[in-house]
Amino acid sequence: MPELPEVETTLKGVLPYLLNKSVQSIDVHNASLRWPVSKELPKAIKGQTVNRLVRRAKYIIVEFDAGSLLIHLGMSGSLRISQSDVLSNQESLRKHDHVVLHMDSDAGENVVQIRYYDPRRFGAWVWTTQDWREHKLIAHLGPEPLLDDFNAQYLFKKSRHSKTNIKTFIMNAKNVVGVGNIYANEALFISGIKPLAVAGSVSRQRLERLVRAIKDVLARAIDMGGTTLRDFVNADNNPGYFQQTLLVYGREGELCTVCKLPLKSVRISNRATVYCGGCQR
DNA sequence: CGAGCAACCTGCATGC
DNA sequence: TGCATGCAGGTTGCTC
């Protein structure tokens, strides 16, 4: 479900309920996520206040005095707010609500929950007491796509000796983070680059366009609350609207919006890839 | 070292 | 209706 814009949307949604609030308790209903949720987690964060909430790549990082919680939504994860005036009015727990954070709220007592729902359980809740920037899941990640250190000069240098295709290259978090399958397809279309082009051979000028396209498509998707394909909803249960803006993803066989040729589809590293044979070279 | 790919898991759409 | 198959927004950790 979530690429960078969906993670960003999720973070914005839960921020008011987490930042400067303290953890009353945490229920781990199913600890078997990508890695087992630490048994230490409940007592480690009980009573702790959230000092800061940040995104790095597709991780939501919740900082406490005692350590940090790294939350990854995997393919099908979401965080949702559940609150009511009376606890008994709370919606019942769904089958795949694996973790529930109970937060102290301004409004009353025991009424705000952050529920982590993840049918496929590819997501993760990782507790660390070290500086999260040095955690092995974070330390070796590439630059943030929306920051200035992700630019054409960087990408040019980084790609010169790469013989993999450009789509796989930009989806590799060692090169740049946050670009998943939807936005890789979209950015390559916008910049007119064929997904199977060899990364190391794409010209500097074309990488310039690609970098701009990645930044642009991600920023616009964030503005629209992300992409909802099947069931993505933000923390307040609202869908994103970017899917209405998708130009190639999920549109194989439809006509290219620019040249009117039918969009082609191939599988690259077992991921659906849609492109225009006329516009992308 | 990089590249390619199986693996993790459930739900849903499709076809027989 | 049931059952088999394939596909889905990600990433790690194997093999070569």
Side-chain angles (χ1 to χ4, degrees):
Chain A
M1 179 181 308
E3 295 186 36
L4 187 147
E6 293 72 41
V7 176
E8 188 74 32
T9 299
T10 299
L11 186 145
K12 283 180 185 155
V14 296
L15 184 72
Y17 304 94
L18 286 177
L19 189 61
N20 299 323
K21 304 286 190 284
S22 62
V23 177
Q24 199 174 80
S25 62
I26 174 173
D27 299 329
V28 180
H29 297 286
N30 187 346
S32 34
L33 303 183
R34 182 73 156 77
W35 299 281
V37 178
S38 166
K39 291 201 171 83
E40 311 300 311
L41 179 63
K43 61 175 184 283
I45 64 172
K46 189 180 166 81
Q48 291 267 313
T49 298
V50 176
N51 296 327
R52 212 159 79 94
L53 200 59
V54 288
R55 181 189 57 73
R56 172 72 173 105
K58 293 171 191 163
Y59 289 92
I60 290 171
I61 292 137
V62 189
E63 290 184 7
F64 299 93
D65 283 343
S68 297
L69 182 57
L70 314 183
I71 300 175
H72 197 291
L73 304 178
M75 287 279 259
S76 59
S78 61
L79 290 175
R80 283 180 51 204
I81 307 298
S82 177
Q83 60 178 333
S84 71
D85 294 338
V86 215
L87 189 61
S88 57
N89 282 358
Q90 208 97 46
E91 331 160 47
S92 56
L93 219 57
R94 292 174 295 176
K95 182 178 175 186
H96 298 295
D97 282 327
H98 304 310
V99 185
V100 180
L101 271 177
H102 301 256
M103 303 301 296
D104 284 332
S105 73
D106 301 328
E109 36 196 81
N110 204 15
V111 291
V112 176
Q113 299 180 1
I114 315 285
R115 296 184 177 183
Y116 177 70
Y117 173 80
D118 185 4
R120 294 178 73 179
R121 287 187 277 120
F122 287 177
W125 280 52
V126 175
W127 173 248
T128 180
T129 52
Q130 70 181 141
D131 182 340
W132 61 262
R133 277 158 279 257
E134 290 161 20
H135 192 278
K136 65 171 181 170
L137 291 171
I138 305 282
H140 305 293
L141 293 173
E144 284 290 326
L146 295 173
L147 299 185
D148 290 343
D149 56 346
F150 176 64
N151 53 48
Q153 185 184 339
Y154 161 81
L155 203 61
F156 182 76
K157 204 172 168 193
K158 187 84 178 170
S159 61
R160 280 319 83 179
H161 299 295
S162 174
K163 57 171 289 214
T164 193
N165 64 78
I166 190 69
K167 182 175 181 243
T168 302
F169 187 83
I170 59 172
M171 288 180 69
N172 183 341
K174 286 185 174 166
N175 301 137
V176 57
V177 302
V179 183
N181 198 36
I182 297 177
Y183 300 109
N185 277 295
E186 295 297 304
L188 288 167
F189 173 75
I190 292 165
S191 52
I193 301 169
K194 191 171 56 179
L196 280 168
V198 174
S201 306
V202 178
S203 73
R204 171 125 188 184
Q205 189 184 17
R206 290 155 72 71
L207 291 180
E208 198 91 52
R209 294 219 303 271
L210 178 57
V211 165
R212 253 184 286 130
I214 290 172
K215 288 176 186 286
D216 184 64
V217 76
L218 292 177
R220 283 187 295 119
I222 290 170
D223 284 345
M224 298 185 73
T227 296
T228 296
L229 292 183
R230 279 162 282 277
D231 61 353
F232 173 75
V233 286
N234 67 15
D236 301 318
N237 222 8
N238 295 309
Y241 294 97
F242 194 71
Q243 69 282 4
Q244 297 161 12
T245 310
L246 296 176
L247 299 171
V248 289
Y249 182 87
R251 295 188 177 277
E252 57 274 22
E254 294 181 32
L255 303 186
C256 170
T257 50
V258 176
C259 76
K260 312 301 179 197
L261 284 174
L263 297 173
K264 297 182 182 177
S265 103
V266 288
R267 291 192 79 77
I268 297 179
S269 300
N270 213 30
R271 307 300 297 271
T273 304
V274 187
Y275 67 102
C276 174
C279 298
Q280 293 172 262
R281 302 267 148 208

